[in-house]
């Protein structure tokens, strides 16, 4: 019995480590881009870790109303990083959380019917959206490589050396390790880069010393949320893409655990994600989605019990209640973070391309959808003032590259692949979506 408990605890810790880098890096990137203080950043990291645990437990706990009941781990979605930075820069941090809350409520509202709507989000749409999001993240990584936008030592050789040293370490780990070590190569790279920065005198532990040992999360830490239509539309699109990705993970886990999923199971899974997103907005955390790296870890370990994921969720909650642990992550220099970002954000683009690989490229219509949506998304991102003279009602849809590109993909897919298409074609599209992840 003791041996079995030890095994479950060990596997739970493994799951935490496998997703920890992704969970921690999102608040570090967003908080750093929005210029938060060390104290605010510590809170952001801590509450994010805690809410990852809460979101995971909500999803694993299957009941009448929510929870897919599979051993799935939830964490912050990278898809939301660029949109949140854009929203925060334009409207302030309060608009980020207003948009997150509304997008979560939207997910709860459509959870019952989304299984039927998923056909409108085939890989040609979701792949284009994720690729656009990844591309818009790269400038954030490059600014951090140089030391962070506005820093006194921007572009110094120390910053450049640390960034590419971190990236090289991650590449070497990824090349010569396998299994669990490979899955946490980003986390190990951040640790090695911070250690090197410490010996260079570039690490400040002041925030760690000042952070408290325990805190109780409070809603609206950054003030009452505000609601901007453009921001809300953006986060709803992000949530829809995340749901499509999650659908693929649900089916993959269903196969692994030999459980057949029906529409009610999917609806409960979507509801759990919607509830997690709403709670993220209320407690100033982030939108959540299923983490596919934990599915890979489950395949490696061969252990499919939900008890392991309950342990992982409980550990995340405990870690999130200790601000000193969150403060430790804030000492990572911007240049070290930038080096890791190149790999992580590049992977977002690569994942978008992987999703697009499910597309039938023999179809000129699909090529046209991809070309126009990515072109529009990137164009508006690079030249945001291009639609400055448009009426306010239209500019809501055109002032953000991710919204403009996503809506272009959705609209063109409807025109070319939905209107007038036979039922057999629709059925093929549904199967294609389920296999996309």
């Amino acid at each position: 019995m003791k041996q079995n408990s030890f095994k479950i605890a060990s596997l739970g810790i493994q799951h935490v480590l496998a997703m920890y880098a992704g969970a921690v890096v999102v608040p570090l990137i967003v908080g750093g881009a929005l210029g938060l203080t060390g104290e605010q950043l510590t809170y952001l990291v801590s509450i994010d870790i805690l809410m990852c645990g809460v979101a995971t437990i909500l999803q694993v706990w299957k009941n009448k109303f929510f929870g897919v009941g599979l051993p799935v781990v939830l964490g912050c979605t990278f898809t939301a990083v660029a949109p949140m930075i854009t929203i925060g820069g334009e409207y302030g941090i309060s608009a980020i959380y207003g948009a997150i809350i509304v997008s979560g409520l939207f997910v709860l509202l459509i959870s019952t019917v989304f299984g039927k709507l998923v056909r409108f989000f085939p890989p040609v749409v979701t792949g284009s959206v994720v690729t656009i999001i990844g591309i818009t993240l790269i400038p954030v990584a490059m600014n951090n490589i140089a030391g962070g936008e506005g820093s006194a030592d921007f572009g110094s050789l120390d910053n450049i050396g640390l960034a590419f040293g971190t990236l090289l370490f991650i590449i070497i780990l990824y090349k010569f390790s396998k299994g669990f070590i490979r899955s946490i190569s980003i986390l190990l790279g951040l640790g090695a880069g911070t250690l090197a920065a410490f010996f260079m005198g570039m690490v400040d532990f002041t925030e760690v010393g000042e952070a408290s040992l325990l805190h109780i999360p409070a809603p609206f830490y950054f003030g009452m949320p505000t609601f901007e239509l453009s921001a809300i539309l953006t986060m709803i699109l992000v949530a829809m893409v995340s749901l499509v990705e999650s659908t693929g993970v649900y089916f993959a886990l269903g196969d692994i655990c030999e459980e057949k999923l029906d529409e009610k199971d999917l609806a409960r899974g979507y509801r759990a994600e919607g509830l997690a997103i709403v709670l993220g907005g209320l407690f100033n955390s982030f939108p959540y989605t299923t983490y596919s790296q934990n599915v890979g870890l489950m395949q490696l370990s061969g252990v499919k019990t939900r008890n392991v994921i309950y342990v992982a969720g409980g550990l995340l909650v405990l870690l999130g209640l200790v601000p000193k642990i969150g403060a430790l992550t804030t000492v990572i220099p911007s240049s070290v973070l930038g080096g890791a970002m190149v790999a992580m954000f590049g992977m977002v683009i690569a994942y978008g391309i992987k999703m697009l690989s499910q597309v039938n490229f023999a179809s000129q219509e699909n090529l046209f959808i991809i070309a126009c949506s990515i072109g529009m998304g990137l164009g508006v991102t690079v030249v945001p003032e291009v639609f400055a003279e448009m009426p306010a009602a239209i500019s809501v849809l055109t002032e953000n590259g991710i919204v403009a590109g996503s809506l272009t993909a959705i609209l063109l897919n409807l025109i070319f692949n939905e209107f007038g298409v036979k039922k057999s074609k629709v059925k093929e599209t549904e199967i294609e979506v389920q296999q996309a992840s």
Side-chain angles (χ1 to χ4, degrees):
M1 183 69 179
K2 283 185 178 179
Q3 189 177 8
N4 190 46
S5 298
F6 177 76
K7 184 181 180 182
I8 289 174
S10 300
L11 289 167
I13 292 169
Q14 268 200 141
H15 275 286
V16 169
L17 289 173
M19 59 80 69
Y20 193 80
V24 167
V25 168
V26 171
L28 288 177
I29 294 166
V30 176
L34 297 179
L36 299 186
T37 65
E39 183 183 347
Q40 290 173 325
L41 205 52
T42 296
Y43 175 83
L44 202 61
V45 171
S46 297
I47 193 64
D48 176 55
I49 296 168
L50 187 149
M51 292 308 299
C52 283
V54 171
T56 296
I57 292 168
L58 286 175
Q59 191 63 282
V60 180
W61 175 31
K62 184 176 182 178
N63 56 71
K64 187 177 178 180
F65 302 104
F66 60 82
V68 74
L70 294 169
V72 59
V73 174
L74 269 68
C76 325
T77 172
F78 269 96
T79 312
V81 172
M84 288 191 294
I85 291 172
T86 303
I87 293 167
E90 190 166 349
Y91 301 113
I93 195 168
S94 60
I96 295 175
Y97 294 112
I100 289 173
I101 291 168
V102 175
S103 68
L105 292 173
F106 180 80
V107 169
L108 287 171
L109 190 66
I110 66 161
S111 58
T112 305
V113 297
F114 189 78
K116 297 179 179 67
L117 294 177
V118 77
R119 85 171 215 225
F120 296 112
F121 294 86
V124 71
V125 172
T126 55
S128 297
V129 173
V130 173
T131 303
I132 293 165
I133 288 169
I135 290 170
T136 61
L137 283 169
I138 295 300
V140 178
M142 300 315 288
N143 272 318
N144 274 278
I145 281 175
E149 195 170 0
S151 63
D153 59 347
F154 189 87
S156 71
L157 290 178
D158 283 347
N159 284 330
I160 301 296
L162 265 178
F164 284 98
T166 301
L167 180 58
L168 180 62
F169 185 85
I170 292 169
I171 291 169
I172 291 170
L173 266 183
Y174 211 79
K175 168 68 178 173
F176 295 105
S177 64
K178 58 178 72 172
F180 180 60
I181 296 297
R182 193 183 212 194
S183 72
I184 61 168
S185 57
I186 297 286
L187 188 64
L188 294 175
L190 289 171
T194 304
L195 184 63
F198 172 75
F199 287 113
M200 294 168 68
M202 297 173 66
V203 176
D204 182 6
F205 286 99
T206 305
E207 293 297 335
V208 179
E210 292 178 353
S212 58
L213 278 171
L214 187 70
H215 78 143
I216 303 300
F220 309 125
Y221 176 85
F222 292 104
M224 293 300 291
T226 55
F227 303 93
E228 300 287 343
L229 184 56
S230 173
I232 289 167
L233 286 173
T234 303
M235 295 312 296
I236 284 175
L237 281 168
V238 167
M240 299 281 271
V241 171
S242 293
L243 286 185
V244 174
E245 291 179 44
S246 294
T247 304
V249 173
Y250 296 156
F251 281 115
L253 278 170
D255 286 341
I256 292 169
C257 299
E258 299 176 356
E259 289 187 28
K260 189 171 177 62
L261 301 179
D262 57 26
E263 282 189 11
K264 290 182 179 179
D265 291 319
L266 292 176
R268 281 194 295 267
Y270 300 146
R271 263 184 231 117
E273 286 199 30
L275 188 56
I277 294 169
V278 171
L279 289 173
L282 293 175
F283 286 93
N284 294 145
S285 185
F286 300 103
Y288 294 97
T289 190
T290 52
Y291 266 20
S292 55
Q293 60 262 49
N294 291 87
V295 178
L297 185 57
M298 196 174 303
Q299 287 175 310
L300 283 170
S301 68
V303 178
K304 307 164 189 175
T305 174
R306 287 184 293 173
N307 289 341
V308 170
I309 308 303
Y310 276 124
V311 169
L315 283 171
L316 288 167
V317 170
L318 287 174
L319 289 172
L321 290 172
V322 185
K324 278 197 183 294
I325 295 172
L328 274 173
T329 63
T330 67
V331 306
I332 302 171
S334 294
S335 52
V336 172
L337 205 53
M341 282 177 185
V342 171
M344 289 184 295
F345 295 167
M347 284 299 287
V348 175
I349 299 172
Y351 188 65
I353 294 169
K354 180 186 175 186
M355 294 169 81
L356 288 172
S357 71
Q358 305 289 327
V359 175
N360 176 17
F361 283 113
S363 164
Q364 289 295 319
E365 289 87 349
N366 284 337
L367 291 176
F368 192 73
I369 294 167
I370 296 165
C372 290
S373 59
I374 293 179
M376 181 65 74
L378 185 58
V380 173
T381 300
V382 175
V383 190
E385 63 274 14
V386 65
F387 295 118
E389 299 300 318
M390 298 290 281
I394 298 174
S395 65
V396 164
L397 306 175
T398 58
E399 63 190 7
N400 181 301
I402 296 167
V403 173
S406 301
L407 290 179
T408 301
I410 293 167
L411 182 62
L412 291 181
N413 179 64
L414 287 173
I415 293 170
F416 289 119
N417 293 333
E418 292 294 334
F419 294 157
V421 176
K422 293 179 182 179
K423 287 186 178 180
S424 59
K425 172 72 175 176
V426 170
K427 188 65 181 175
E428 288 171 14
T429 306
E430 288 177 342
I431 294 169
E432 189 181 39
V433 170
Q434 289 182 10
Q435 296 173 342
S437 296

